[in-house]
Amino acid sequence: MKIATYNVNGINARLPVLLRWLKESAPDVACLQELKAPQEKFPESAIREAGYDVIWHGQKSWNGIAILSKVGKPQEIRRTLPGDEEDVHSRYMEAAINGVLIGCLYLPNGNPAPGPKFDYKLSWFKRLTDHAKELLAQKTPVILTGDYNVMPTDLDVYKPERWVDDALFRPEVKSAFHALVAQGWTDAIRKLYPDQKIYTFWDYFRNAYERDAGLRIDHFLLSPEVDKRLIAAGVDRHVRGWEKSSDHAPVWVELKGA
DNA sequence: ATGACGAATCTTATTCGA
């Protein structure tokens, strides 16, 4: 089973690129973030014509996540992250597909830091960590994937010294990520490529992609029951070079079995 | 500190992203 995550930066602006990538990469499951579309403006028929069942949670202007599957209808478990009834951002969605629980997430950016947006990022991270602990306790196959908006180490940043005060790289955020992983999750890309410079995002400015001035912020965390099935993982970085691309590239894992 | 780019919106300017 091949599972992918892709921050599309606007599902309607990205539709041709998304469909092209789905056809080329043919993931069984795809988690999307930053739909930037209200619920009723999601291009459902185009996705279904591409062969995917889909559930999504849109929001006007910002955020929004979706889970696509061509190996059975996603059985939705939840479409909000527990822990704050007042949080109305569409940033988390969870579904069971083929016996694997898949959490699709878009963690807040948090800039500028410090400030209320940074506080929201940290509290969202805390809620995710609390929820992740409960998922792990079930001792079933679980994947938490998406745009974490965190570069976990210096190896994940083209120029670490320029990012020290940024909300994606501040010590509080890196420690939150490491604490989450330390519950017992496996960072799939880092497990298979412990020493390689691998990026998933290149901003639109200053020819960042051409200069390979990138960041690794889209991650796959695997529960032990999934980790033992991990065969391969990678980034479809060439997709970032396509016309009208997102600023992120898709990331994927391949698991043993259906 | 700002801006470079791109997307969305109560658009011709502003907000957000990372």
Side-chain angles (χ1 to χ4, degrees), chain A residues 34-52:
Chain A
E34 277 211 83
L35 303 181
K36 288 185 169 179
Q39 189 70 9
E40 65 277 11
K41 293 274 179 63
F42 184 89
E44 180 179 5
S45 49
I47 299 293
R48 292 194 182 277
E49 279 162 28
Y52 288 87

Side-chain angles (χ1 to χ4, degrees), chain A residues 75-172:
Chain A
Q75 303 300 312
E76 182 173 328
I77 310 295
R78 58 175 72 248
R79 57 175 55 207
T80 57
L81 186 63
D84 183 359
E85 301 294 317
E86 318 228 308
D87 183 5
V88 294
H89 290 203
S90 295
R91 295 181 176 273
Y92 187 82
M93 180 170 241
E94 194 174 283
I97 301 171
N98 256 359
V100 181
L101 188 71
I102 296 172
C104 171
L105 65 101
Y106 175 44
L107 207 133
N109 173 304
N111 276 306
K117 291 188 175 179
F118 191 61
D119 295 342
Y120 174 61
K121 177 175 198 165
L122 293 179
S123 70
W124 205 95
F125 221 137
K126 169 77 163 61
R127 288 162 58 202
L128 177 65
T129 304
D130 289 347
H131 184 55
K133 192 175 179 183
E134 297 200 354
L135 293 176
L136 266 190
Q138 297 174 8
K139 306 210 179 289
T140 56
V142 184
I143 294 175
L144 290 176
T145 188
D147 179 357
Y148 281 74
N149 269 319
V150 184
M151 296 85 85
T153 72
D154 283 4
L155 185 57
D156 303 310
V157 194
Y158 68 98
K159 202 168 272 194
E161 66 274 17
R162 288 222 179 144
W163 289 84
V164 287
D165 290 326
D166 192 276
L168 281 70
F169 202 52
R170 284 177 64 109
E172 305 94 309

Side-chain angles (χ1 to χ4, degrees), chain A residues 6 8 11 13-23 239-240 242-246 248 250:
Chain A
Y6 188 16
V8 293
I11 183 111
R14 206 65 55 222
L15 195 54
V17 163
L18 174 63
L19 295 173
R20 178 180 171 191
W21 167 72
L22 283 173
K23 191 168 184 181
V239 173
R240 177 64 182 81
W242 290 352
E243 283 290 314
K244 298 287 287 176
S245 160
S246 168
H248 294 248

